[in-house]
């Protein structure tokens, strides 16, 4: 009897939660006209309690404001459950050219700084025009607007701060894309082959001459295997993947120019391998000096976000240049967007960081931020620190009045013989390894095919450390805690028998043998001696001096390759070891470098791919930012 009662209570709770939005909000769908006459489809959820005024919280998205139809409600609205239940006007909008909005979609639409006519539109003007309509037409709004979004919607939240509407008081770009040459699809010039399958999401033309549509018009390539490593190895050069983006529909021609596919994003990727005008014009980072100081910003990111780590860090740092702005950052032990969920135990992949970390963020940080600027005084005394950051080694939150925090010291460690990571440079010698294009280093030991990679960011790196084409350098057991806070600079001195190569550096926290294994760990792994990757990065060697003007290596010539690794906040605790791994392949996270120089790797032939011998010299160093 008691058991059935508990089940009933649980069922009632779930049912009540499912209908909360419909019970407490009205829903309206409108098409808002922009200055050039194009209409954007917008969904407005307004509290049924009309006895008071509410701020407007808006998300602009390329991923749809569904469910469509005024009788169909989302199960949850707003940034989190607290902001939903205490009452806000929540707005979702399909951006220009997506779903039920008119116009043509441009992937990372370029900002137009000097608009001289109503035909000059971008995401800034679309946001401005939308806010103008909302504050003048939505009943019971208090004249204050906030925007938020994760990933691509986070990019639109950043965009909203540029030439911002006066009513926009708060923006929280979260896991926000900053520049597609350094986020998501590229890392320092290397193409992230692991994002291959999501290309169609951004590059498939809408049918019927780009007319609005309420159902998905794109599909993800089916590689027909659960072994992505073998699939991409067998596929060979990138140009062999073109067939996945030749869409035979009534709206696409069957006769194409040679080498051109129907997917316009795939065409951009393969025709623009360098950081040229296309990518430069679409980057948002360089325009953030135009963000308006009347908009408070809170940048949110995850230390283990495989997709967008560059974006939120650079967004924060560049808005910070505007000294008049209220600008803060929150970084926790999350992968992509995990802070918006309520999972109780907080993990990334196998690695456990603690309990209710996302729940704490939603209640004590995010809700507090929006309420202060949209319902409260809105002054700079929000009660939140400049930097709310989680030390992923100590597993605890810290508050700082700047990021990076004050008191940092640069500390160099050298890649020495005998697999040692030393504080002093020893005699200079070269450590050689063979980079076999037929047996590239996998980025994960898992046999899997994923839409986007995430788990690898905290994966145990023992599988890689035991390969002959991965160089390992390690300290002795730490006698005291070492806190890394800020960026890491790998200053490699290398050579290759070829004319092209990639360079990957991984920073690893080696746990003691007596570390207890958490319950979520994969069965074949143990936390004993776990090699936790805390930061990693690749540089396509041709871009070592310029991302716009690539150049080959001179065979066997000692060459400087410097790689900036994104910020980290992690304590290597007493009893642990600090390890560095260096390798030249990372497959299929990134595409395979032919290791002979070609102008465009997307057009390389099978015969261009050659096994080469690489050398890392022992005057190479890793410069850490250490918090004393």
């Amino acid at each position: 009897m008691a058991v059935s009662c508990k089940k009933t209570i649980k069922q009632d709770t779930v049912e009540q939660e499912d209908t909360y939005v419909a019970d407490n909000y009205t829903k309206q769908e409108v098409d808002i006209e922009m200055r050039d006459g194009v209409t954007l489809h917008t969904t407005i959820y307004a509290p049924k309690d009309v006895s008071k005024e509410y701020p407007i919280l808006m998300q602009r998205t390329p991923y749809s404001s569904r469910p469509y139809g005024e009788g169909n409600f989302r199960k949850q609205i707003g940034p989190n459950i607290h902001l939903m239940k205490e009452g806000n006007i929540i707005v979702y909008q399909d951006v220009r050219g997506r779903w039920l909005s008119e116009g043509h979609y441009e992937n990372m639409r370029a900002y137009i700084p000097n608009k001289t006519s109503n035909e000059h539109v971008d995401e800034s003007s679309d946001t401005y025009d939308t806010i103008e309509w909302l504050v003048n037409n939505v009943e019971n709004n208090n004249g204050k607007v906030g925007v938020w979004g994760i990933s691509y919607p986070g990019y639109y939240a950043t965009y909203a701060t540029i030439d911002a509407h006066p009513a926009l008081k708060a923006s929280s770009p979260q896991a926000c894309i900053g520049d597609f040459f350094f986020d998501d699809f590229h890392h320092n010039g290397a193409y992230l082959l692991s994002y291959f399958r999501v290309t169609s999401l951004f590059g498939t033309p809408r049918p019927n001459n780009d007319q609005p549509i309420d159902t998905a018009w794109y599909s993800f390539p089916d590689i027909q295997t659960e072994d992505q490593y073998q699939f991409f190895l067998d596929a060979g050069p990138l140009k062999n993947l073109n067939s996945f983006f030749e869409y035979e529909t009534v709206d696409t021609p069957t006769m194409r120019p040679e080498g051109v596919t129907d997917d316009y994003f795939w065409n951009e990727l393969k025709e623009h391998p360098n950081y040229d005008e296309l990518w430069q014009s679409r980057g948002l980072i360089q325009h953030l000096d135009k963000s308006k100081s009347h908009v408070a910003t809170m940048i949110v990111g995850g230390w283990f976000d495989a997709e967008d780590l560059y974006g939120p860090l650079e967004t924060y740092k560049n808005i910070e240049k505007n000294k008049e702005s209220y600008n803060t950052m929150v970084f926790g032990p999350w992968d992509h967007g995990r802070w918006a969920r309520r999972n109780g135990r907080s993990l990334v992949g196998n690695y456990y960081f603690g309990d209710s970390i996302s729940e704490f963020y939603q209640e004590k940080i995010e809700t507090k931020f929006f309420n202060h600027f949209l319902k409260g005084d809105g002054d700079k005394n929000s009660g939140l620190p400049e930097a709310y950051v989680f030390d992923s080694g100590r597993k605890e939150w810290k508050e700082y009045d700047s990021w990076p925090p004050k008191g940092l010291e640069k500390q160099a460690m050298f890649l020495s013989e005998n697999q040692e990571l030393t504080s002093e440079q020893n005699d200079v010698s070269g450590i050689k390894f063979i980079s076999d294009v037929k047996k590239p280093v996998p980025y994960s030991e898992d046999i899997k095919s994923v839409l986007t990679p995430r788990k690898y960011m905290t994966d145990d790196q023992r599988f890689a450390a035991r390969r002959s084409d991965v160089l390992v350098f390690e300290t002795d057991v730490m006698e005291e805690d070492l806190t890394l806070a800020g960026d890491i600079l790998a200053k490699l001195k290398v050579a290759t028998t070829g004319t092209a190569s990639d360079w990957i550096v991984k920073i690893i926290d080696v746990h003691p043998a007596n570390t207890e294994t958490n319950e979520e760990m994969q069965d074949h792994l143990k936390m004993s001696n776990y090699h936790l990757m805390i930061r990693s990065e690749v540089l396509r060697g041709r871009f070592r001096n310029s991302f716009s003007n690539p150049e080959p290596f001179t065979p066997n010539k000692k060459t400087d390759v410097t790689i900036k690794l994104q910020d980290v906040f992690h304590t290597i605790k007493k009893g642990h070891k600090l390890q560095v791994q260096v390798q030249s392949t990372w497959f299929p996270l990134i595409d395979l470098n032919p290791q002979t120089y070609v102008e465009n790797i997307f057009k390389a032939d099978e015969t261009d791919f050659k096994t080469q011998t690489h050398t890392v010299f022992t005057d190479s160093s890793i410069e850490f930012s250490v918090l004393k």
Side-chain angles (χ1 to χ4, degrees):
M1 187 70 179
V3 172
S4 63
C5 180
K6 286 182 180 178
K7 284 184 177 178
T8 302
I9 292 172
K10 185 177 180 181
Q11 288 170 353
D12 288 346
T13 303
V14 171
E15 184 179 350
Q16 184 179 3
E17 195 67 37
D18 283 348
T19 63
Y20 184 88
V21 178
D23 292 342
N24 292 276
Y25 284 83
T26 62
K27 180 188 175 189
Q28 179 187 13
E29 294 185 42
V30 296
D31 294 316
I32 301 176
E33 185 174 339
M34 300 294 104
R35 63 190 64 180
D36 64 344
V38 167
T39 62
L40 303 188
H41 191 78
T42 309
T43 300
I44 303 164
Y45 292 92
K48 289 182 177 179
D49 179 1
V50 295
S51 65
K52 54 186 175 181
E53 293 182 337
Y54 303 92
I56 296 170
L57 270 169
M58 179 171 67
Q59 180 184 107
R60 304 185 67 243
T61 178
Y63 301 135
S64 173
S65 58
R66 291 181 295 186
Y68 299 117
E70 295 191 5
N72 298 319
F73 287 76
R74 290 191 176 209
K75 302 303 183 199
Q76 183 173 323
I77 56 174
N80 64 53
I81 194 171
H82 307 288
L83 290 165
M84 175 181 78
K85 290 196 170 183
E86 67 183 35
N88 286 281
I89 297 167
I90 309 294
V91 175
Y92 295 92
Q93 183 179 74
D94 295 337
V95 297
R96 181 180 291 257
R98 299 290 285 187
W99 296 88
L100 285 181
S101 286
E102 294 178 344
H104 178 67
Y105 175 69
E106 289 186 17
N107 205 10
M108 301 281 286
R109 188 183 302 274
Y111 168 67
I112 303 173
N114 299 305
K115 301 176 180 68
T116 57
S117 78
N118 286 340
E119 299 305 310
H120 286 168
V121 294
D122 55 21
E123 305 303 340
S124 173
S125 65
D126 282 354
T127 307
Y128 190 104
D129 293 351
T130 299
I131 292 175
E132 178 71 11
W133 189 95
L134 290 171
V135 295
N136 286 298
N137 291 277
V138 176
E139 295 181 356
N140 300 311
N141 83 81
N142 70 356
K144 296 180 180 180
V145 179
V147 293
W148 94 99
I150 297 172
S151 195
Y152 220 139
Y155 161 82
Y156 294 112
T158 307
Y159 223 131
T161 67
I162 301 173
D163 299 336
H165 192 285
L168 183 62
K169 302 301 181 184
S171 175
S172 183
Q174 304 178 6
C176 44
I177 305 166
D179 190 315
F180 257 172
F181 205 73
F182 303 98
D183 284 308
D184 291 285
F185 291 91
H186 299 96
H187 272 216
N188 292 329
Y191 168 59
L192 265 75
L193 183 59
S194 46
Y195 288 78
F196 160 79
R197 292 180 63 206
V198 296
T199 304
S200 56
L201 177 61
F202 305 110
T204 306
R206 284 194 301 186
N208 302 319
N209 295 315
D210 213 3
Q211 290 299 303
I213 185 171
D214 64 359
T215 54
W217 63 97
Y218 52 82
S219 60
F220 300 117
D222 181 5
I223 63 174
Q224 299 184 336
T225 178
E226 294 182 12
D227 187 347
Q228 61 185 5
Y229 180 98
Q230 194 63 47
F231 168 80
F232 286 116
L233 198 62
D234 292 343
L238 291 175
K239 65 180 184 179
N240 293 344
L241 300 174
N242 285 344
S243 60
F244 284 94
F245 302 112
E246 294 170 351
Y247 309 133
E248 299 291 353
T249 73
V250 293
D251 300 298
T252 56
T254 55
M255 298 296 292
R256 304 173 186 82
E258 182 65 29
V260 175
T261 66
D262 298 310
D263 191 291
Y264 49 83
F265 186 41
W266 179 250
N267 289 336
E268 289 172 345
L269 287 165
K270 66 196 189 75
E271 296 300 331
H272 299 271
N274 308 326
Y275 193 50
D276 60 14
E277 173 60 24
L278 177 88
W279 303 115
Q280 291 176 30
S281 68
R282 295 180 181 185
L284 199 56
I285 300 299
Q286 61 266 37
H287 299 298
L288 293 181
D289 58 341
K290 303 177 187 69
S291 61
K292 299 300 183 183
S293 58
H294 69 261
V295 184
T297 48
M298 183 177 75
I299 317 301
V300 182
W303 290 129
F304 301 97
D305 188 340
E307 295 176 43
D308 299 299
L309 184 59
Y310 169 91
L313 285 168
E314 290 300 313
T315 297
Y316 167 76
K317 291 174 183 178
N318 280 273
I319 293 179
E320 192 67 10
K321 293 175 183 177
N322 182 349
K323 300 301 182 183
E324 300 301 315
S325 293
Y326 175 96
N327 179 44
T328 61
M329 61 174 278
V330 182
F331 269 75
W334 301 304
D335 60 12
H336 194 62
R338 183 76 59 174
W339 51 90
R341 303 179 192 175
R342 301 176 68 81
N343 294 336
R345 287 174 65 84
S346 295
L347 296 101
V348 175
N350 286 304
Y351 200 86
Y352 169 69
F353 288 102
D355 290 337
S356 303
I357 296 172
S358 298
E359 289 84 346
F360 169 80
Y361 156 77
Q362 290 171 31
E363 180 180 1
K364 302 299 184 183
I365 303 175
E366 185 176 47
T367 299
K368 189 173 185 177
F369 169 77
F370 279 118
N371 282 347
H372 179 75
F373 289 102
L374 300 180
K375 295 180 178 179
D377 293 338
D379 60 16
K380 293 189 176 183
N381 299 315
S382 66
L384 293 171
E386 173 75 12
Y388 224 138
V389 286
F390 192 92
D391 183 330
S392 52
R394 285 199 175 100
K395 300 183 180 180
E396 61 186 22
W397 287 102
K398 293 288 186 180
E399 301 180 21
Y400 295 107
D401 57 10
S402 67
W403 185 265
K406 297 179 178 69
L408 288 184
E409 293 181 6
K410 297 297 184 181
Q411 182 173 326
M413 305 192 81
F414 291 87
L415 309 184
S416 298
E417 290 278 8
N418 301 315
Q419 298 191 11
E420 293 181 350
L421 187 62
T422 60
S423 56
E424 302 292 336
Q425 179 184 319
N426 299 321
D427 293 338
V428 178
S429 60
I431 305 172
K432 297 182 183 295
F433 67 96
I434 296 171
S435 181
D436 188 343
V437 292
K438 297 295 185 184
K439 295 181 180 178
V441 180
Y443 78 93
S444 170
E445 65 176 343
D446 296 342
I447 304 301
K448 60 185 177 182
S449 291
V450 296
L451 195 61
T452 58
R454 296 187 179 183
K455 169 183 169 291
Y456 80 95
M457 292 288 283
T458 60
D459 267 356
D460 185 350
Q461 296 299 307
R462 276 176 283 196
F463 77 95
R466 294 164 182 171
R467 287 181 57 116
S468 61
D469 51 358
V470 177
L471 302 185
V472 175
F473 306 91
E474 193 173 81
T475 65
D476 292 332
V477 173
M478 290 286 172
E479 295 181 357
E480 58 184 25
D481 289 356
L482 178 72
T483 299
L484 309 178
D487 64 11
I488 300 168
L489 208 59
K491 299 179 177 180
L492 302 184
K493 298 180 185 299
V494 302
T496 174
T497 55
T499 51
S501 59
D502 291 338
W503 294 94
I504 295 101
V505 173
K506 299 185 292 193
I507 310 300
I508 292 158
D509 178 348
V510 179
H511 287 46
N514 62 355
T515 309
E516 292 186 7
T517 301
N518 54 282
E519 61 191 60
E520 296 89 352
M521 182 73 67
Q522 286 174 277
D523 290 343
H524 70 286
L525 292 174
K526 296 291 182 286
M527 193 56 74
S528 176
N529 196 38
Y530 194 92
H531 284 32
L532 172 68
M533 187 170 73
I534 59 172
R535 189 57 72 238
S536 55
E537 194 54 277
V538 57
L539 176 71
R540 180 136 286 170
R542 64 178 57 211
F543 298 118
R544 63 194 179 277
N545 295 318
S546 168
F547 289 112
S548 301
N549 300 299
E551 56 189 294
F553 286 87
T554 301
N556 301 310
K557 180 182 178 181
K558 187 176 182 179
T559 306
D560 289 341
V561 173
T562 300
I563 309 172
K564 178 188 175 185
L565 284 74
Q566 301 302 331
D567 289 20
V568 65
F569 186 38
H570 186 92
T571 297
I572 310 292
K573 297 174 73 173
K574 179 181 177 181
H576 293 224
K577 291 185 285 186
L578 174 61
Q579 182 186 99
V580 173
Q581 293 184 7
V582 179
Q583 60 199 63
S584 62
T585 52
W586 210 14
F587 194 75
L589 184 69
I590 62 170
D591 64 315
L592 198 58
N593 194 315
Q595 303 193 134
T596 57
Y597 188 85
V598 294
E599 290 299 323
N600 187 344
I601 294 177
F602 280 87
K603 299 181 179 181
D605 295 319
E606 188 81 47
T607 54
D608 294 321
F609 291 78
K610 304 288 186 184
T611 291
Q612 305 289 356
T613 298
H614 300 327
T615 304
V616 174
F617 294 93
T618 56
D619 50 348
S620 299
S621 64
I622 310 294
E623 184 182 88
F624 294 101
S625 301
V626 177
L627 184 62
K628 295 296 185 178

